[in-house]
Amino acid sequence: MYERAVAIPLIRTGGLPSAERRALQRRVHRGELIALRPGVLVRPEHVDGLGDEHRHLLLVRAAAPTIVHPAAVSHRSAAVVHGLPFVGAVPDRVDITDPRRSRNETTALRRVHAAQPRADLPSRWSGLPPTTPIEICGAPVTPLVRTLVDVASCTSLVAAVPMIDAALHGRQVLPAMLADELDQHTRKGQDKARTAIALGSALSGSPAESVCRVRFRQLGVPEAVQQRVFARPGERTAVVDFWFSAQGVVVEVDGRAKYEDPAMLAGRSTADAHWKEKQREDFVRSFAEVRTVVRLTWADLMDPERVRVKLVRAGVPCR
């Protein structure tokens, strides 16, 4: 889907004769074209089925000619370009950082962030891909490491931690890179970013697992072991999302994709996937140290109180 959004042809009307521009505008009024922003159009069939992140990528592409060095696509817009996962709303404006600005500014099309002072220190990570700016359609984009820290400084933990976890899980960044990047900048929200970076885990295999860990922190639960392996010689092996050893409680995060995403189904039917998951859970429950298994859905994760109720019922203490 990312590749599709990058390949969608954009119709730019700047420089066209006025008669052609008027003709294109009439097509917009008839619904034959969609205006991404003034002067940039796209055919409706090209955007059918695109998710919010990929529609935002189109906005970034549309704005690219107006973004020139030293300004750069940044924050959540840069996160879209880097392919990081989103939890919550995707921005409706393109985020840009401009070191020439002394204060932030928001318009109908863009959100401009004033660049904060940066310590003039050599970085041990200089020249590595995560610390090197990239481009989209000729527009500069902040490096992955800076993008993660920028997002963490201005958004919630629920939004920031899944992005950090995804980059760590994919071995795109190291925790030390994020810590060094944070230390080189003076940012509003620096403490928030430090908390998000400290929560980052390469063991989280999905945004849902990342959100689950944020909820655990908010609820003050005991430390859980991630990706705990249950195995017996000669039998199957099961890896669970979270294990509370003192309470004997396994917590599994249940996403719809496990039963609906063709890539995750790998040729199996939804019924087969449900049956396999039931067998897996029965195997986990067969271990003497396992008292119970708690399953958390995405709807649960979006409501901390629902998570708290399920954990308390299973015997996991919460605040």
Side-chain angles (χ1 to χ4, degrees), residues 2 53 56-57 59-60 67 72-84 86 90-96 109-111 113 136 141-142 147 151 163:
Y2 183 95
E53 295 101 313
H56 187 76
L57 186 61
L59 287 181
V60 175
I67 306 168
V73 178
S74 66
H75 294 75
R76 291 181 297 167
S77 293
V80 169
V81 177
H82 285 290
L84 296 170
F86 269 73
V90 175
D92 57 353
R93 297 170 175 84
V94 176
D95 282 308
I96 299 167
L109 299 175
R110 56 173 62 189
R111 185 177 292 102
H113 304 263
I136 181 168
V141 181
T142 54
T147 298
V151 170
M163 293 187 186

Side-chain angles (χ1 to χ4, degrees), residues 56-287:
H56 187 76
L57 186 61
L58 285 180
L59 287 181
V60 175
R61 288 183 57 209
T66 70
I67 306 168
V68 296
H69 183 78
V73 178
S74 66
H75 294 75
R76 291 181 297 167
S77 293
V80 169
V81 177
H82 285 290
L84 296 170
F86 269 73
V87 173
V90 175
D92 57 353
R93 297 170 175 84
V94 176
D95 282 308
I96 299 167
T97 289
D98 192 337
R100 297 165 297 189
R101 299 295 185 95
S102 59
R103 60 183 180 181
N104 299 343
E105 179 186 34
T106 300
T107 69
L109 299 175
R110 56 173 62 189
R111 185 177 292 102
V112 183
H113 304 263
Q116 299 298 318
R118 182 183 180 98
D120 190 16
L121 299 172
S123 171
R124 54 180 163 158
W125 315 111
S126 294
L128 296 178
T131 64
T132 303
I134 63 172
E135 288 188 352
I136 181 168
C137 300
V141 181
T142 54
L144 177 58
V145 169
R146 177 165 181 177
T147 298
L148 289 167
V149 176
D150 282 344
V151 170
S153 69
C154 67
T155 61
S156 67
L157 291 175
V158 166
V161 173
M163 293 187 186
I164 293 171
D165 283 357
L168 293 171
H169 183 77
R171 299 185 178 183
Q172 296 169 277
V173 301
L174 298 172
M177 290 179 175
L178 298 172
D180 285 359
E181 172 65 25
L182 183 61
D183 289 342
Q184 285 189 318
H185 282 260
T186 301
R187 286 178 173 83
K188 182 179 179 181
Q190 192 149 0
D191 289 342
K192 180 190 295 187
R194 200 173 302 281
T195 299
I197 291 169
L199 267 174
S201 170
L203 295 176
S204 288
S206 69
E209 289 179 36
S210 302
V211 174
C212 191
R213 291 191 303 104
V214 172
R215 298 306 187 207
F216 287 169
R217 180 184 185 277
Q218 292 171 336
L219 295 171
V221 303
E223 190 70 25
V225 176
Q226 279 188 270
Q227 305 303 315
R228 168 66 149 79
V229 178
F230 287 89
R232 292 193 188 97
E235 294 190 47
R236 71 175 70 195
T237 296
V239 182
V240 302
D241 295 332
F242 301 100
W243 167 238
F244 292 94
S245 58
Q247 292 76 32
V249 175
V250 166
V251 174
E252 293 276 66
V253 178
D254 246 354
R256 292 172 63 93
K258 185 187 297 183
Y259 308 107
E260 297 179 358
D261 187 343
M264 296 189 72
L265 286 171
R268 294 172 297 154
S269 68
T270 297
D272 287 340
H274 275 289
W275 175 247
K276 185 175 181 180
E277 185 60 25
K278 181 184 182 304
Q279 290 181 309
R280 177 179 171 278
E281 182 172 322
D282 288 344
F283 174 71
V284 170
R285 289 179 182 272
S286 72
F287 285 78

